[in-house]
Amino acid sequence: MRRVVVTGIGIVSPLGLGADHNWAALTSGKSGLRKIRTFDASDLPSQIAGEVPLAGEADAGAGSLDINAYIDPKEQKKMDRFIHYGYVAAVDAVEDSGWKPEGEEERCRTGVLIGSGIGGLVNIQNTTVTMQEKGPRRISPFFIPSSLINLISGNVSIKYKFKGPNHAVVTACATGSHALGDAARLIMLDDADVMVAGGAEAAICRIGVGGFAACRALSTGFNDAPEKASRPFDKDRDGFVIGEGAGCVVLEEYEHARKRGAKIYAELTGYGMSGDAHHVTSPADDGDGGYRAMKAALRRAAINPEDIDYINAHGTSTPLGDDIELTAIKRLFGGNTKNISISSTKSAIGHLLGAAGAVEAIYSIKALQTGVIPPTLNLEDPSDVAALGNGQFLDLVPLKAKERNIKTALSNSFGFGGTNACLIFKAAP
């Protein structure tokens, strides 16, 4: 199999725009969670979210996203918000990579694979209201293409004239990780030399928040303290906080990247998948699906459990899910679990659904690059499952980032329907 490396990264998250800005905010313990502003959520059980800070907002601050700098206002109207975010992250990743195909063959060997868990939910909601109130003639001719999940990949390929594989992944909250893993395999199998891969989501709207609240997935006990609501592995956790944004990377065949003198962030060495075959929203109590996905990723990377230094956990802050993930980790890593640092960056940005895996993969890459482990915010009283006995606990990096020289990182993503994806990154060769 051909080797695959990461040569470009781009992020849009509740902490703002850009990988460097995100990393500085994340490792300093900042939170991107706040009261919902884009609509009236006062009648909803959960009234908080991780919204992307936009230029022009009263307190947007540094790192706020100016979509006009990326997409002409007229063209913006032809795209749902999730496409805006995915497009921006992809453009930043491509520009960061410095990859500019010079001929038809190079364009045909460059592809795009960007997915979303839900897609154009905001547009679907608003168009439904328009049709009910004003009739079908008022529906925009761009409604369908602005809502389709594969249109992020489509728009990015059109912008750069990338004519290789043009694909999208839809696997709920595992989407971002599956997108990176599937894109890497296209390169490994020689179907492409370069792939732009990632995930995007923008489901913070009345129907999105109302829907997740209806299935009792969201935090409802911290509406007056948004920054404290996402608390993975803590005994007081009561559900996840919905977030939005996008993460994209440029994946490249190692020799291809080396020959052009590309900057290499890390190598993607492992990719594991599994299905729970258990329940539409809940994982099996013993975490068997996550266990098998992590085990498959280790096998593909040809490494042993003791080779993992850091795990960016799925850790959504749900009462059941967090304990089940830790159970799976302890089962797979055994006695070596005490030597692994584990953190959930969802504590700072919430759960970005289909974008989560890609954003968290980038955070894992930055941890490899910088030697800093991002913290699990709000972890004040660890769950009993975090105990190792003899008064020892798993290293869940509570409250503050920590310095640690790591060589190999694993990133977990688990989604509704029992779909699981795990990625392993190694320090840059």
Side-chain angles (χ1 to χ4, degrees):
M1 289 284 189
R2 305 198 310 164
R3 295 170 68 183
V4 178
V5 294
V6 178
T7 58
I9 53 180
I11 297 182
V12 178
S13 90
L15 289 174
L17 172 67
D20 289 342
H21 172 80
N22 261 262
W23 190 243
L26 181 70
T27 54
S28 65
K30 291 185 179 179
S31 173
L33 308 182
R34 61 188 186 184
K35 291 282 257 186
I36 292 172
R37 299 184 180 185
T38 51
F39 63 90
D40 181 9
S42 60
D43 61 340
L44 296 175
S46 182
Q47 300 163 14
I48 54 180
E51 296 175 310
V52 171
L54 301 176
E57 291 180 336
D59 59 348
S64 58
L65 170 62
D66 180 5
I67 298 177
N68 294 336
Y70 290 83
I71 308 171
D72 182 86
K74 183 178 179 181
E75 293 300 312
Q76 290 175 32
K77 297 177 181 179
K78 302 175 184 178
M79 306 173 185
D80 186 272
R81 196 164 70 222
F82 84 102
I83 298 180
H84 295 169
Y85 296 156
Y87 184 90
V88 168
V91 167
D92 278 2
V94 172
E95 298 303 318
D96 181 46
S97 76
W99 173 236
K100 297 179 181 178
E102 295 182 355
E104 186 71 359
E105 176 62 19
E106 289 186 343
R107 285 191 289 272
C108 290
R109 298 285 297 175
T110 304
V112 189
L113 203 166
I114 304 171
S116 178
I118 299 176
L121 192 61
V122 173
N123 205 21
I124 292 170
Q125 170 192 274
N126 293 342
T127 300
T128 300
V129 172
T130 296
M131 184 171 179
Q132 288 294 105
E133 295 181 350
K134 301 179 181 179
R137 292 191 177 185
R138 296 299 296 274
I139 295 176
S140 167
F142 300 105
F143 165 58
I144 295 297
S146 71
S147 303
L148 294 175
I149 286 173
N150 70 299
L151 261 291
I152 309 175
S153 294
N155 279 293
V156 172
S157 69
I158 290 168
K159 173 178 174 59
Y160 288 105
K161 307 302 179 189
F162 294 159
K163 296 185 176 181
N166 188 316
H167 193 21
V169 173
V170 185
T171 49
C173 304
T175 295
S177 292
H178 275 133
L180 268 63
D182 289 353
R185 286 190 171 176
L186 289 173
I187 295 172
M188 291 175 183
L189 294 170
D190 200 22
D191 290 322
D193 293 323
V194 181
M195 292 292 299
V196 184
E201 204 76 87
I204 301 175
C205 58
R206 283 185 62 78
I207 196 170
V209 177
F212 278 113
C215 63
R216 299 182 179 180
L218 298 182
S219 171
T220 59
F222 295 87
N223 287 331
D224 294 326
E227 293 184 354
K228 295 184 177 296
S230 184
R231 42 197 320 114
F233 313 122
D234 188 84
K235 286 182 179 178
D236 286 339
R237 66 190 186 276
D238 71 336
F240 75 79
V241 179
I242 189 170
E244 64 180 2
C248 287
V249 301
V250 173
L251 299 176
E252 193 166 346
E253 193 273 325
Y254 172 59
E255 291 297 334
H256 186 279
R258 189 181 63 81
K259 286 178 182 177
R260 73 179 184 89
K263 165 179 74 266
I264 295 177
Y265 286 100
E267 182 175 2
L268 199 167
T269 58
Y271 174 38
M273 297 177 285
S274 74
D276 287 349
H278 175 70
H279 188 271
V280 291
T281 59
S282 299
D285 291 343
D286 61 359
D288 184 63
Y291 165 83
R292 288 183 288 108
M294 289 186 285
K295 187 175 181 179
L298 289 170
R299 183 176 66 249
R300 177 58 62 191
I303 60 175
N304 299 313
E306 57 266 27
D307 294 318
I308 296 294
D309 302 306
Y310 169 58
I311 297 175
N312 188 297
H314 183 60
T316 60
S317 188
T318 57
L320 289 177
D322 289 8
D323 281 353
I324 290 172
E325 182 177 9
L326 291 184
T327 298
I329 290 172
K330 291 166 72 174
R331 176 186 171 192
L332 178 61
F333 292 95
N336 191 61
T337 311
K338 65 180 183 296
N339 300 320
I340 301 172
S341 294
I342 306 166
S343 69
S344 173
T345 48
K346 289 184 178 74
S347 59
I349 61 174
H351 190 358
L352 272 59
L353 310 176
V359 168
E360 290 158 15
I362 293 172
Y363 289 156
S364 300
I365 291 166
K366 293 294 289 183
L368 285 168
Q369 183 189 27
T370 63
V372 177
I373 306 291
T376 303
L377 300 183
N378 303 313
L379 180 52
E380 298 165 346
D381 188 6
S383 168
D384 292 339
V385 180
L388 293 172
N390 298 320
Q392 291 186 311
F393 283 80
L394 292 170
D395 177 17
L396 297 174
V397 198
L399 307 179
K400 293 183 179 181
K402 63 180 287 185
E403 293 185 0
R404 177 176 175 179
N405 182 28
I406 62 174
K407 296 180 179 179
T408 310
L410 182 149
S411 182
N412 282 339
S413 294
F414 312 135
F416 280 7
T419 179
N420 309 301
C422 302
L423 299 170
I424 293 177
F425 295 94
K426 191 169 138 183

